[in-house]
Amino acid sequence: MPEIMNEIERQKMDADIVCVGFGPATAGFLTTLTRAMMNADGTPAFESKVMPGMPLQVMCYERADDIGFGVSGIVTKGRAIRASFPGLDLAKEIPNATVAEDERVAYLHDPIGASRRTAGTRFVDAVFKAGRFMMRKGPHAEELPWIPPFLRKEHGLVMSMGSFMSWVGGQLMGSGLVQIWPGTPVSTPLIEDGRVTGVRLADQGVDKKGNPEGAFMPGMDIGARLTVVGDGPVGAVGRTLDAHFGLPAGNHQHDWAVGMKAVVELPPSCGLKPGTVIHTLGFPEPEIFGFMYVYPDRTASLGIFVPSWFDSPARTGYRYLQHWMQHPYLWRHLEGGTLRSWGAKTLQESGVRGEPHLVGDGFARIGEGSGTSNLLTNSGVDEAWRSGVLLAEGAIEILKADGDFTKPALAAAYEKRRRADTLNKELQAAKKARDGFQNGFMLGMMGTGLTGITGGALNVSVKSVPPSQKVKPLAAALGHRIPADKLAEISEACAKTRQPLHDAVMNAMGWPEVTLDGNLLMSHQDILFKGGKVQAMGGFADHVRFADPARCASCTERTCVEMCSAQAVMPGEDGGVPEFDREKCVHCGACVWSCSKAHPTDPERNNIEFTAGSGGLHSNEN
């Protein structure tokens, strides 16, 4: 099919600059660029090369159907974002935003007795319990008496990602200097003789396998002098560039996490003030971290992060989120609340180690997909924004010189600028902050603390391997908790009913059934219809595909099924290849790295291919 599709005649359009993905990095890029595009007298500062006499033609394509798609809470120092809007009180200007005022870090003990507590974790438990006289106590929890400076965000901003992006996007589109097209997935970059010459939009009017049907409309080719790639860690364009050009020597993208998140209307009894920020660790599993950020109007964004170094095949983010919410330390604030929205997102946890080639002829990389996540401070939005600002400053420099966006020009104007910036210095200091977690929770905590205290000078360094090499077989991961005959019985029963393993496995390990109230706690399927719905337009090909179905048929872990945020990937018939339902997919990308089988042609990748596609989460509560 690829050969046939390449031969189809396509409509073409040219722009000066085309951006892929509308996230914080692209927003920072466009905000900075548009302010330099016009002179004070209203004439263009830079004339378009594709439409002479007109200002630069700048296009941005976003897969999601709305620019405020993100169901994610943000707490950030906001240095770069605030610098882009001098004189504005962003906590008042941005809807649902407030100042981070009361920050807490809570260590949660296991009140159930079902959590995986290794010897190292039990030691950490004992240390916290022994130090209770120095800490603020909570139900089955202790709050740290002192938050390390590298983690502290007080006096920064608490925001809703969806509200923030809508606010910024409204300003950009109101300027008339940039076109932002939501609901327009980009399938691939256009590469000619090593130069990126633009992008190709996804074909429409095809069946789920991509075969043309009666209403077939080939995706348009958008030519561009500069292609700005900010489509995140699992974006189709960024991943295609990584496969084509490779990663710089020594870099890897082995470490990931999925954030399972919700927006909740807090009950009237909740006394938490807007600007309250709570970080948690220790429960429901030691490797799973949590957060809760309180917005104005008695709403909160909350969630957990399930990382790739959590090697259990039963790694469901959704049920773990429900147990986390019901921990007594949190439930006292949440009981009686109402779910307003939910979602999930994959995070690239390799940080600067996952940095791809930042520039090439005709293209530049920004945002999380370019390695801007700070693994020490647990932050990424402001860092992504800063990378976009730095690229815009470099692009303006090239435009003023009437230059071409070649690799040497972009290296001098953007990459060199980024290397010298505080952004890079902080990312480099955080480079090995999470290494210790590869060998357990306690070593991970020690490594993070050592990195933070020494500013990155000392670390616990552990070799990292691709995700497919981290996931243990079911018996090896759970055999010490569940008898072999019971585990075999569970596997057989789930295969017959074509259900994921995690509920039965967690029940067998002592996790209590979640009592559903239909309001805050509801089934995985019911949540698809309340507080945010999944919708995929017809006429697009499926974006989740299995590279080698034979490997799937022989797989016993089925981590793609267990990890799927919305049960869009489910067991196939007779234990065969899993089935994908894009009407449930929230485009989190967890399946990309949770797969326990390596790609047939590349051991650094997994057996699932995540391409451009329509749909995702739709909610007016973001």
Side-chain angles (χ1 to χ4, degrees), residues 573-610:
E573 293 185 10
D574 301 321
V577 180
E579 295 182 356
F580 171 66
D581 184 353
R582 67 179 178 201
E583 295 298 330
K584 297 178 181 178
C585 180
V586 299
H587 288 256
C588 73
C591 56
V592 171
W593 54 268
S594 291
C595 175
S596 62
K597 298 292 179 281
H599 192 277
T601 64
D602 184 356
E604 288 291 306
R605 296 161 56 201
N606 291 357
N607 197 41
I608 287 183
E609 295 177 341
F610 196 89

Side-chain angles (χ1 to χ4, degrees), residues 510-527:
W511 291 97
E513 294 273 8
V514 176
T515 302
L516 305 178
D517 59 19
N519 199 36
L520 179 58
L521 302 174
M522 57 191 72
S523 74
H524 213 150
Q525 294 302 302
D526 286 346
I527 201 172

Side-chain angles (χ1 to χ4, degrees), residues 81-101:
I81 296 173
R82 281 172 162 159
S84 293
F85 300 97
L88 286 184
D89 186 344
L90 296 184
K92 295 180 179 179
E93 294 285 338
I94 301 170
N96 295 324
T98 189
V99 175
E101 297 283 8

Side-chain angles (χ1 to χ4, degrees), residues 523-568:
S523 74
H524 213 150
Q525 294 302 302
D526 286 346
I527 201 172
L528 294 172
F529 302 101
K530 181 176 181 180
K533 294 185 293 183
V534 176
Q535 177 180 326
M537 291 185 292
F540 286 94
D542 279 351
H543 53 278
V544 172
R545 304 171 188 172
F546 305 97
D548 182 0
R551 298 189 183 206
C552 299
S554 63
C555 178
T556 58
E557 296 81 54
R558 302 295 169 91
T559 41
C560 61
V561 172
E562 306 305 318
M563 191 65 157
C564 184
S565 299
Q567 292 191 345

Side-chain angles (χ1 to χ4, degrees), residues 33 108 240 272 284 317 418 569 587:
L33 177 68
L108 307 182
T240 299
L272 297 177
R418 178 160 157 173
V569 181
H587 288 256

